[in-house]
Amino acid sequence: MSQTDAVNAYRLFLGRHAESERVVHEKADLPITKLAAGFLGSKEFLERVLPPLSTGYPLPHFRVGATPDAEILSWAEQSLPISESTREALAKAKTWRQLLRIILADKMFRNVVAPGLSKAVGDLDHAMNGHTFSAEREIVGCIDHISIFEIKGWAA
């Protein structure tokens, strides 16, 4: 494991940056499977990421980027314990929701990080009803400036 793994795991699973460098250093010593299981079993994931992931509401990932960047896609493909078909599907993920759903639907990933996924998988499976949501579209955007009479930003 490395600090890069810890930083990217925070970005992917919680949609935010780590609280401090100290936390990154502590998590950098964990194997990727234990790190992922810890994030997926955390109260933060179960309360702030899983409900929006399964209901269609906005994910907290807008803090780290409107869409997953090439770095996070490459890291997920190379570092996570996922099947070859899932690795190929990651390249098609255009949104954070698609990326997380593709990873969480992978049977190999579920078996490896099972301790953290016990409740999350059941809730997500129920919400997804067997769909992979591969053709799903989302609106993403960013507010650049707010004043009393004007909001500037973009949406796509």
Side-chain angles (χ1 to χ4, degrees):
M1 261 297 292
S2 70
Q3 290 183 13
T4 302
D5 291 334
V7 168
N8 284 326
Y10 265 99
R11 292 174 61 212
L12 176 61
F13 297 119
L14 299 182
R16 67 176 176 86
H17 299 288
E19 302 89 340
S20 67
E21 285 293 318
R22 183 183 57 82
V23 174
V24 171
H25 288 293
E26 290 171 4
K27 300 230 184 255
D29 294 333
L30 297 173
I32 192 75
T33 54
K34 191 168 185 171
L35 181 68
F39 280 123
L40 296 173
S42 72
K43 184 176 179 179
E44 183 176 359
F45 179 81
L46 295 174
E47 292 179 358
R48 296 188 62 226
V49 178
L50 186 61
L53 183 62
S54 58
T55 61
Y57 284 94
L59 291 165
H61 293 67
F62 68 88
R63 292 182 189 100
V64 294
T67 58
D69 57 28
E71 178 188 342
I72 196 81
L73 291 171
S74 175
W75 173 81
E77 181 183 332
Q78 295 172 10
S79 301
L80 294 178
I82 53 178
S83 66
E84 194 58 40
S85 60
T86 299
R87 288 184 204 291
E88 292 170 9
L90 289 180
K92 298 175 187 165
K94 302 287 185 225
T95 67
W96 288 105
R97 185 178 319 279
Q98 289 172 348
L99 178 60
L100 282 168
R101 284 181 171 165
I102 289 168
I103 292 168
L104 293 176
D106 185 74
K107 288 185 186 336
M108 179 188 294
F109 183 77
R110 287 183 179 196
N111 289 337
V112 171
V113 297
L117 282 174
S118 57
K119 176 168 177 14
V121 168
D123 290 351
L124 188 61
D125 283 345
H126 178 70
M128 289 173 53
N129 291 326
H131 296 80
T132 60
F133 294 91
S134 60
E136 180 181 277
R137 295 177 184 218
E138 284 190 48
I139 295 176
V140 294
C142 181
I143 295 174
D144 296 324
H145 175 74
I146 298 176
S147 67
I148 203 162
F149 297 110
E150 185 176 59
I151 298 174
K152 290 183 181 180
W154 61 270

